[in-house]
Amino acid sequence: MRHDIEAPALSDATDPDRLFTSVDPRDGTTLGQYRITGATEVSGAVERARSAARWWDKIGFRGRRDVLLEFKKAIAGEADSLASLISVETGKPHDDGFIEVMLTVEHLDWAARNASKVLGPRRVSSALPSMNQKAILEYLPLGVVGVIGPWNFPAFTPMGSISYALAAGNAVVFKPSELTPGVGMWFEKTWNSVAPGHPVLQVITGFGDTGTSLARAGVDKIAFTGSGATARKVMAVCAETLTPMVAECGGKDAVIVAEDADLDKAAEAAAFGTVLNAGQACASVERIYVADPVYQQFVDKLAAALSRARPGPEDTATYGPMTLPRQVEVVRRHLRDALDHGATAVMGSLDSVRERSIEPVILKDVPDDSPAVQEETFGPTVVVDPVRDLDEAVERANGTHYGLGAAVFTRSKKRGLKAARRIRSGAVAVNSVFSFGAVPAIPFGGIGESGFGRIHGADGLREFSRPHAVTVERFRAPLALFAVDTPERDMRIAKRMFRMRHAW
């Protein structure tokens, strides 16, 4: 079933060399043409954003909250239209696109409603030597934030930066992936409908050079989502001007299944995490470590769950095709290498990798140094290995350079929390998968090859702010310690008070 799609605003450029084409990955149908934004145009967008940021800052938390909630209503009111656009640009089923819109709106709503509480001025305690000072801490906007978004979740992921950056008082210049430019343009058009004449959110389209231009255009921070290799290139550009950056660079998420786990629940959750967006998610389930006594039982249940998954171009399919064509070869390479080095396909085979879509594949006995274990596969495949106990499971889960998310399944919440704290990652779910990404109040991000910095939650708001400290003298200091010539009496008293406070 195809839903009506409101076409995004296309480029008005006439030079064909300055245009690129967006296509539907399900059948190659042309969706539209978009401008390749050059360096001069990018700089112009940043200058307009800087001017708009002054207005945005001036209206304060309450004013920004009201505008952002109107923005939220406009997105929610046209959720079907946006979901359809997500669907045709990524190939995912319409309902998956709608869920993405739902998550996007929830995060925007939380950021709008909580920015004042998190970032607003508050009094903090003073130390004894400065007892006469009132100390105030607040978080001020950075100015202009450049956001470079991915193609796999073209609404939810970049809006995880955009929403929090806007709520913190910044203007945003957003470069969507060249595979999903229409979603970015849709957001700009919707913003302009609620805040006409105030380009606080602008969209620029193009390829890597456009992103490079954005990083060089004098923005106050870059929020990047993509591969580690591309992140390193963006960081090198940012380093030229000491422009700070937050990077979310993917993962190799592991699921741990303890001997006492609810195996039906664990298998269903792991199956969902494996085929989520055709495995094209930074927090996809790519590795599973199962306690040996229940290993075969779990594998059977996982295979049964995945046997119900059906890829295809229809909205009724479980998941869609591979959005990025060259990713198909990455999945094929990982499978071939694993099988050539002794792995066994419990479900699926190399023949599961087709031209546009990939059937689910379960591998076992994969060497730990295999790309299928150590590198991000980004496809609907999963490695399942037995382990002696939770200790070995945690050790194996921590055995890659990635550290984004993970999950632990056990009937004992105490054991689950204990294991979760030992996993080297930015977030862990106990008895579910990816639930941490759906909770607006908690931060999301990784360590190691998965990147640095945080979006979402209070940490996400502070990520796009700068702490600003102010002290106000309440009364004249009783001891003149901060003077050109400190009186001997004052110094003697201060030393005695210091020793009484800290040395006795």
Side-chain angles (χ1 to χ4, degrees):
M1 177 180 174
R2 294 286 291 244
H3 296 259
D4 291 336
I5 304 169
E6 182 180 355
L10 300 183
S11 170
D12 59 359
T14 56
D15 183 355
D17 292 335
R18 300 302 299 166
L19 297 177
F20 68 97
T21 301
S22 171
V23 301
D24 186 332
R26 295 173 292 193
D27 56 17
T29 301
T30 296
L31 299 175
Q33 289 187 311
Y34 296 83
R35 180 190 296 273
I36 300 175
T37 312
T40 301
E41 296 169 292
V42 172
S43 294
V46 172
E47 286 305 309
R48 290 191 297 274
R50 196 162 300 285
S51 178
R54 289 191 284 272
W55 166 79
W56 191 234
D57 181 33
K58 187 176 179 180
I59 66 174
F61 286 112
R62 176 57 65 89
R64 292 193 292 270
R65 174 184 179 274
D66 292 345
V67 176
L68 289 173
L69 291 180
E70 285 300 314
F71 186 39
K72 177 203 74 169
K73 288 181 183 178
I75 295 171
E78 295 294 331
D80 268 314
S81 171
L82 178 55
S84 293
L85 187 54
I86 292 170
S87 178
V88 297
E89 287 201 317
T90 65
K92 69 180 66 177
H94 179 270
D95 284 352
D96 285 4
F98 198 95
I99 292 172
E100 183 175 342
V101 177
M102 291 169 60
L103 291 173
T104 299
V105 166
E106 290 295 339
H107 278 275
L108 176 57
D109 182 76
W110 191 93
R113 295 183 186 279
N114 288 274
S116 177
K117 179 173 62 176
V118 173
L119 305 177
R122 62 182 180 273
R123 188 170 174 176
V124 296
S125 61
S126 301
L128 186 61
S130 55
M131 60 183 296
N132 67 317
Q133 300 289 333
K134 178 171 74 173
I136 301 169
L137 173 64
E138 62 182 331
Y139 292 84
L140 301 181
L142 296 172
V144 179
V145 173
V147 176
I148 301 175
W151 48 263
N152 56 340
F153 291 94
F156 172 62
T157 299
M159 283 295 285
S161 296
I162 294 170
S163 297
Y164 293 81
L166 291 174
N170 304 283
V172 172
V173 179
F174 170 39
K175 183 213 167 291
S177 166
E178 61 272 18
L179 299 182
T180 55
V183 174
M185 297 297 290
W186 190 98
F187 279 122
E188 182 185 60
K189 179 180 178 182
T190 303
W191 173 265
N192 289 335
S193 73
V194 300
H198 297 290
V200 173
L201 173 60
Q202 297 176 78
V203 173
I204 56 174
T205 53
F207 297 90
D209 286 347
T210 300
T212 298
S213 296
L214 180 59
R216 284 199 173 111
V219 295
D220 298 288
K221 191 163 197 172
I222 286 288
F224 169 84
T225 304
S227 70
T230 304
R232 288 173 173 84
K233 295 177 182 178
V234 177
M235 286 178 67
V237 176
C238 288
E240 296 172 2
T241 52
L242 291 182
T243 300
M245 174 177 166
V246 54
E248 195 268 276
C249 305
K252 191 71 179 176
D253 286 14
V255 167
I256 292 173
V257 182
E259 185 176 351
D260 66 340
D262 181 333
L263 297 184
D264 290 321
K265 182 177 182 179
E268 286 292 330
F272 165 75
T274 298
V275 300
L276 171 65
N277 198 35
Q280 301 168 118
C282 55
S284 291
V285 174
E286 297 203 4
R287 299 175 294 146
I288 307 176
Y289 300 107
V290 187
D292 189 68
V294 296
Y295 174 75
Q296 191 56 53
Q297 190 178 356
F298 173 84
V299 170
D300 291 343
K301 290 179 180 293
L302 178 65
L306 285 175
S307 69
R308 306 197 309 270
R310 184 177 62 84
E314 308 87 4
D315 280 339
T316 54
T318 307
Y319 59 92
M322 304 299 284
T323 307
L324 185 64
R326 66 175 179 268
Q327 193 63 32
V328 173
E329 185 52 42
V330 174
V331 177
R332 183 180 287 112
R333 175 172 62 83
H334 284 195
L335 291 178
R336 181 182 291 114
D337 178 90
L339 295 170
D340 286 348
H341 289 85
T344 300
V346 176
M347 177 180 182
S349 66
L350 274 173
D351 293 337
S352 301
V353 183
R354 300 170 183 170
E355 182 181 357
R356 294 187 185 273
S357 62
I358 300 174
E359 299 278 352
V361 178
I362 302 174
L363 297 175
K364 70 174 185 177
D365 301 326
V366 181
D368 270 350
D369 60 354
S370 167
V373 174
Q374 295 296 326
E375 300 176 13
E376 188 174 39
T377 303
F378 229 55
T381 70
V382 64
V383 174
V384 189
D385 280 344
V387 291
R388 294 185 307 274
D389 50 30
L390 275 179
D391 288 340
E392 183 187 354
V394 170
E395 182 180 355
R396 299 278 293 278
N398 291 339
T400 76
H401 294 295
Y402 290 94
L404 186 60
V408 180
F409 284 84
T410 172
R411 295 182 190 272
S412 169
K413 292 181 180 178
K414 183 177 180 180
R415 288 183 72 202
L417 285 171
K418 185 177 179 181
R421 292 189 179 103
R422 295 168 56 203
I423 295 175
R424 180 181 174 274
S425 66
V428 181
V430 178
N431 292 329
S432 64
V433 296
F434 193 58
S435 50
F436 41 76
V439 181
I442 59 176
F444 180 73
I447 58 177
E449 193 67 21
S450 291
F452 52 86
R454 293 295 181 268
I455 59 174
H456 303 173
D459 291 272
L461 288 168
R462 296 189 188 103
E463 189 75 53
F464 300 106
S465 309
R466 59 181 178 88
H468 187 246
V470 176
T471 56
V472 180
E473 187 177 72
R474 297 163 55 224
F475 53 84
R476 185 173 180 177
L479 301 176
L481 299 183
F482 304 123
V484 175
D485 296 309
T486 300
E488 183 179 341
R489 169 188 169 276
D490 289 7
M491 195 67 217
R492 185 171 62 251
I493 294 172
K495 287 180 178 180
R496 181 174 177 80
M497 292 175 65
F498 169 75
R499 292 189 181 98
M500 289 176 62
R501 178 173 170 82
H502 296 293
W504 294 357

